[in-house]
Amino acid sequence: MKKIWMVIALMSLQCFGNEKLILTVGTDSLSAIKAQVSVDLEILKQGDEISLIRLDKEKMFKLSELMHHDFGRCPGFTKYFSEAEAYEDLASLQIKSSVQGLFTLDYKIDQHLLVKPLVEQIDEVSTVQIIAQLSNYPTRYHKSKTGLEAVMWLKSHWESLGQGRSDVTVELVKHRDTPQPSVILTIEGTENPEQVIVVGGHVDSIARGFFGGISKIAPGADDNASGIATMTEVIRVLMSNSYRSNKTIKFMAYAAEEIGLVGSREIAKSFKKAGTQVVGVMQLDMTNFKGSDEDIVLMTDYTNKAQNTFITSIIDTYVKVKWGTDKCGYACSDHASWTNAGFPASMPFESKVKDMNRKIHSKKDTLAVSKNHAFHAIKFAKMAIAYVVELDR
Ligand code: BES
Ligand code: ZN
């Protein structure tokens, strides 16, 4: 027995050694990190909300624990592959507010006649079926065979929804840093095709096994089969009503979010490079766990304030459920990729962070946690379809 522990100790020494990590964390957590994780913490750049730090890799578990217990954040930091990449993100965050000013969208709500019947057709049964289908793959981990199968299934399902429409295309987008492709369904705009509305969420899943390894079982029903199902329901209703769009609408199922926003980062960067005019991004990541009194919680960090306000009006007008606000405290999902690229993004979330679904990133993230229903998720589908159609005017 002693021998086994010695081998494990030696292995972890080999794995972690003295390697340093480049991370961004909430500035409000710096003093706690210094006091409880590492006295010789290096603060590379301290911002008002977010700071860049360098930390020994071996301190990562302690940092996760602190973030989880004292700040209710999970994990509460963003890891970067290089210092250059981290600085690039921080720089774009600092100019974020001025970039937001470039889009003088007037967020009006005046499409009641069009929106109301669409909202009424959002269906719980169709939504729950997609969550079941996706969470039935043992894992959708970005490097796994079943993670690729899930992507291919989604592509053909979206194709079947768009069948017979020459303005609708479904494509796979290959990536540099993951073997998993993303899926994009595009409805080409008729009047202003150069303006693009994005609704997205990640298709991959992850679960941690023993000693921080990757488990082969990761149903990811809430994180994030729920977001993909929510989006798919919006597509289904738009298609069955033969909805033609003025602007271009793109639904995106991102690859490899769980290892560091990989798919969305590459896509958002390529849109920025191409000079594409993305007028709004809605991120759907975790929509089916009702943990709080508030039904829809808008994250206020790494998001666009004006668009968030617009979405709260959309909720009041068409969904009529209770909404609130909260902060992730770090770049917790793909909306951050779009914000970092200078586009207005929002992240409506299923609960307050303190009330979040604690089963995510484990083999227990199943549909059973939500009693095999999608009643929470359909509030997000109603909001998303109203958002798309109102923004499409
Ligand atoms: N769905 C989560 C993000 C999330 C979790 C938001 C809890 C709000 C509350 C997402 O899939 C995720 O796991 N993100 C990673 C960060 C990413 C940069 C690897 C995380 O939070 O660990
Ligand atoms: Zn996750």
Side-chain angles (χ1 to χ4, degrees), residues 172-189:
L172 290 180
V173 176
K174 286 191 178 168
H175 297 293
R176 190 193 63 184
D177 293 331
T178 171
Q180 188 174 49
S182 298
V183 190
I184 302 182
L185 179 144
T186 304
I187 309 175
E188 185 72 17

Side-chain angles (χ1 to χ4, degrees), residues 74-75 78 202 223 257-261 285-286 299 328 330-333 347 349 353 356 360-361:
C74 170
T78 305
H202 67 93
D223 187 10
E257 184 264 4
E258 297 287 10
I259 57 152
L261 317 181
D285 184 3
M286 296 170 65
M299 294 304 180
C328 266
Y330 60 102
C332 67
S333 189
M347 159 80 164
F349 189 66
V353 172
M356 68 177 265
I360 68 163
H361 300 173

Side-chain angles (χ1 to χ4, degrees), residues 135 138 206-208 215 217-223 289 357-370:
S135 59
I206 198 167
R208 302 258 167 229
S215 164
I217 307 296
D222 192 27
D223 187 10
F289 178 78
N357 183 349
R358 302 277 161 199
K359 300 287 193 272
I360 68 163
H361 300 173
S362 82
K363 60 180 185 219
K364 293 183 175 168
D365 181 7
T366 63
L367 188 50
V369 174
S370 300

Side-chain angles (χ1 to χ4, degrees), residues 14 42 101 107 126-127 171 180 211 216 256 261 321:
Q14 262 188 341
E42 285 175 79
Y107 292 112
S126 319
T127 310
E171 67 192 303
Q180 188 174 49
F211 307 114
K216 287 198 160 70
L261 317 181
V321 295

